[in-house]
Amino acid sequence: MSDPSGKSLLEQTAHGAGWMIAWRFATRVLGLVSTLTLVRLLLPADFGLVALASSLSQAFGAFAALGVEEQVIREKDPGRAIYDTAFTLNVLRGLLTAALVAMAAYPAAAFFREPRLATVMFATGFGLCLSAFENIGIVDFRREFAFHKEFRLFILPRILGIALAIATAFVFRSYWALVVGILASRISRLVLSYGMHPYRPRLTLSAWRGMVAFSTWVWLTSIVGLLRGQVDSFSIGRMLGAAQFGIYSVGGEVAALPTTELVEPMCRATFSAFAAARNSGTAVLSTYRRVIGATAILTFPAGFGISLVADPVVRLALGPKWLDAIPVIEVFGIGLLASSFGSIAGTMLAAHGRMGTSFRIGLVALLLRAAFVPILALHFGLVGAAAGATISIAGEQALFVASMSRGFGLRASHLLADVWRPLLGVGVMACVLVGSGLGWSGGPGTMLHIAGRLALGSTVGAATFGAVVLLAWVATGRPDGAERDLLELGRRIRRRLVRLVWRRSAATAEQT
């Protein structure tokens, strides 16, 4: 791949992020259909059971994570030895993960007083093991910014998994429907990885020495992430039970939608861009700032908006069994507002091999979470647990911004200049919705009434935010930044749609 200029780097990042966001949007629409169906066929305890088993299994997967795909992407010219070593390390990691999950299954079932947990953990551990055998060649999709191929690789197994989960739930009305969906998705993705890329890996560890430094830091960081992720499950699962953990898990997932659907795809694309810039010697601070600005415009209103309309969202989408998730979403929606700062900063640090900094920041976040979540959960239940997690997130974001300031020259004034307009828009949006009775309010009613309240609140909030940001941007002289980038992206999409419609119309006219 040619060395990108600053402009081409930004364009490639936007293009890759667009495909990844499209994947998350498509899979979330499918997941929404699945969730709306399954929450009416299954019980909160069913979701809590599978969520707990998946959380524990993935924690062991994180325990053995080595970041080998990222290491391949960071290499300027990786040879076959690098690819094959990465594949072999993945296989060893998968086998180790499966063994750890199997050994922990029965003790975990006894600890959480849930006998069914053991067999579900066996199944989820087997799924993680299968994933380790995926074709390492597909990492080229990220190296070459071919994210449209990743889109297909991700979406097709997701469709199959959801279809089988719903079908199984209709027939058996059992938590095993969720497990079937997970396994079907992993098996189909394994098969598809070899169908979409011609590379055929071999087992070897010949290049392990060149990968050990980066992988060691990734492993240590994963250990911290493992422990941090289990603070919530152990605290809530032990003190409040699997059903409460299920409510907390679903509430947290809903509140984190802006992060999972926008920030994480952005990070996947920006890692490739930052790594390419590192190999070519291109400065990336300006790109980081533009990405942060664009992400803030997208995530700030979405995250705060979910918090404001949590009541109608839960009543309409999840049903009366999930009302306890409303305050969890309200707290998390605010707490996750600034998660994009740390996520994208962590991506830049990883692309430049500064995993030691990420490890230290993660360690502090772990200590904060371990200190606040159990105590607040004990005294205030699910809301307290969400508040404790929010404190940890806020501290982590502050440390990531500080590390960017020291390592890459990012000034607080620069960051404020990039996000003050979205912050102003969110503040005005919250005042308008709360003042009109559409925000942080609600109650029982007919489905039509609840849907109308949600639609009105969402429309008023989005219109208010957009108007405030646009007016503030125009009032300050339309400076270069995220607003200009997003408007230009919109114009490009419009031109492409016009050309597509014109071509199809011309083709139809020729046929007739």
Side-chain angles (χ1 to χ4, degrees), residues 167-493:
T168 305
F170 267 116
V171 175
F172 297 103
R173 304 297 176 100
S174 167
Y175 59 88
W176 280 106
L178 302 172
V179 178
V180 167
I182 293 171
L183 292 180
S185 179
R186 293 189 183 278
I187 293 171
S188 57
R189 177 167 159 171
L190 171 64
V191 174
L192 196 58
S193 70
Y194 287 90
M196 291 185 63
H197 199 285
Y199 191 82
R200 294 297 178 262
R202 304 168 186 170
L203 293 175
T204 181
L205 291 173
S206 59
W208 71 272
R209 289 182 179 85
M211 305 177 71
V212 65
F214 182 82
S215 295
T216 299
W217 279 117
V218 171
W219 179 73
L220 291 173
T221 304
S222 298
I223 296 297
V224 171
L226 157 68
L227 298 174
R228 182 178 57 190
Q230 294 313 301
V231 168
D232 293 8
S233 59
F234 273 85
S235 300
I236 300 171
R238 177 67 176 179
M239 291 188 297
L240 305 179
Q244 288 290 288
F245 180 68
I247 292 172
Y248 179 87
S249 177
V250 172
E253 182 180 356
V254 172
L257 284 175
T259 301
T260 57
E261 309 313 311
L262 295 173
V263 178
E264 290 182 8
M266 194 84 71
C267 290
R268 192 171 183 86
T270 54
F271 183 90
S272 300
F274 292 152
R278 166 183 170 271
N279 291 331
S280 63
T282 303
V284 293
L285 183 59
S286 60
T287 301
Y288 171 81
R289 292 181 58 190
R290 298 289 274 267
V291 171
I292 283 292
T295 305
I297 289 178
L298 297 174
T299 60
F300 281 14
F304 213 99
I306 287 178
S307 174
L308 289 164
V309 298
D311 186 281
V313 165
V314 170
R315 293 180 186 276
L316 186 65
L318 303 181
K321 293 183 294 186
W322 299 85
L323 293 181
D324 287 345
I326 293 174
V328 174
I329 297 173
E330 290 176 343
V331 174
F332 266 129
I334 300 173
L336 293 169
L337 192 66
S339 61
S340 57
F341 298 136
S343 298
I344 298 175
T347 300
M348 181 181 283
L349 292 173
H352 285 75
R354 302 186 182 186
M355 292 302 298
T357 302
S358 296
F359 167 75
R360 289 187 287 273
I361 293 174
L363 186 60
V364 173
L366 165 63
L367 295 175
L368 289 173
R369 204 164 189 126
F372 286 102
V373 169
I375 295 175
L376 294 180
L378 180 62
H379 289 87
F380 303 102
L382 295 182
V383 176
T390 296
I391 294 173
S392 169
I393 293 169
E396 184 179 20
Q397 305 313 305
L399 290 174
F400 268 119
V401 171
S403 69
M404 287 293 297
S405 176
R406 292 193 304 269
F408 297 92
L410 176 68
R411 298 179 181 177
S413 59
H414 292 162
L415 192 61
L416 182 61
D418 296 327
V419 303
W420 74 266
R421 290 184 291 273
L423 282 175
L424 176 64
V426 163
V428 175
M429 179 186 76
C431 291
V432 169
L433 290 182
V434 173
S436 63
L438 295 172
W440 290 327
S441 64
T446 65
M447 295 299 287
L448 183 61
H449 173 72
I450 295 172
R453 192 170 70 226
L454 176 60
L456 182 60
S458 301
T459 302
V460 171
T464 302
F465 176 83
V468 170
V469 171
L470 186 60
L471 288 174
W473 179 62
V474 172
T476 53
R478 303 184 181 185
D480 284 340
E483 293 88 351
R484 188 180 296 277
D485 294 336
L486 292 174
L487 288 173
E488 177 60 27
L489 179 61
R491 284 192 288 267
R492 290 181 182 179
I493 293 174

Side-chain angles (χ1 to χ4, degrees), residues 17-54:
W19 274 108
M20 289 296 94
I21 291 173
W23 162 62
R24 296 306 294 247
F25 177 78
T27 194
R28 186 55 65 179
V29 170
L30 294 170
L32 179 61
V33 173
S34 173
T35 300
L36 292 177
T37 304
L38 293 173
V39 294
R40 286 166 171 79
L41 297 173
L42 305 176
L43 300 173
D46 294 330
F47 282 88
L49 174 65
V50 177
L52 190 57
S54 297

